[in-house]
Amino acid sequence: LCAEREKAALGEMLQARMGLTLSPEKTLVTPVTSTMRFLGHHLRVRPRPSTGRLVPRLVIPKERSTRLRRTITAIFDRSTLNETLEGRLRLLNPVLNGWGYFYRHAWGAKRVFAALDHHVWWTILRWLRKKHHGASVRALRAQY
């Protein structure tokens, strides 16, 4: 009830000072412990086990990492076998850098980044093996 009054007062102030209106679909009053999306992150508030105090955590959404995996796989698609590894990496690196900078402060990012690193490594290795007709890892390391 108090939160609804604050939301209404904020809406009136934004309208009077800046001519802005709050979107009813996006401006919701929810319990603080329910998970919500905020700027491409999941925002969770959970009690800390040791103290019981509520602690906020920004988490990388699962669908975002899944979408990045699909992008990586598309960059190293079978149809690109005639291109160079350098050319493919020039496309991949900005994607990975941007994604990494955006989610670097998320809770548990280290685990997600490690899993993505594993996916990138194996995707590139499979692409190179297709490109070089099943060459061994040792032969590919010697060449690259």
Side-chain angles (χ1 to χ4, degrees):
L1 191 64
C2 182
E4 291 292 340
R5 281 189 303 219
E6 287 294 324
K7 176 182 167 184
L10 177 65
E12 290 170 10
M13 187 271 302
L14 288 173
Q15 179 65 41
R17 289 188 184 175
M18 298 179 214
L20 300 174
T21 57
L22 295 177
S23 168
E25 301 88 35
K26 295 179 181 178
T27 311
L28 303 175
V29 176
T30 60
V32 72
T33 56
S34 66
T35 303
M36 68 175 206
R37 296 285 304 245
F38 182 70
L39 297 176
H41 292 74
H42 278 223
L43 179 62
R44 297 187 324 196
V45 177
R46 299 285 186 259
R48 179 173 279 156
S50 59
T51 62
R53 288 183 56 194
L54 293 177
V55 180
R57 287 196 175 141
L58 286 175
V59 182
I60 300 171
K62 182 81 169 169
E63 63 269 10
R64 295 293 178 138
S65 60
T66 302
R67 195 165 81 185
L68 179 63
R69 285 173 187 255
R70 279 195 229 112
T71 301
I72 293 164
T73 304
I75 289 173
F76 288 95
D77 188 44
R78 183 179 282 276
S79 64
T80 64
L81 290 175
N82 61 341
E83 298 182 29
T84 65
L85 177 61
E86 182 182 349
R88 297 285 88 196
L89 292 178
R90 285 188 192 279
L91 289 175
L92 177 65
N93 284 338
V95 172
L96 293 178
N97 282 333
W99 207 85
Y101 282 126
F102 187 74
Y103 287 114
R104 68 184 166 193
H105 297 297
W107 184 83
K110 181 179 177 180
R111 279 194 322 262
V112 175
F113 291 169
L116 288 170
D117 182 55
H118 181 81
H119 178 74
V120 168
W121 196 90
W122 282 103
T123 301
I124 293 172
L125 181 65
R126 281 192 303 271
W127 183 81
L128 285 171
R129 291 194 72 195
K130 287 175 197 168
K131 183 177 181 69
H132 296 288
H133 308 292
S136 69
V137 176
R138 182 175 290 169
L140 290 172
R141 283 188 184 208
Q143 185 171 354
Y144 291 97

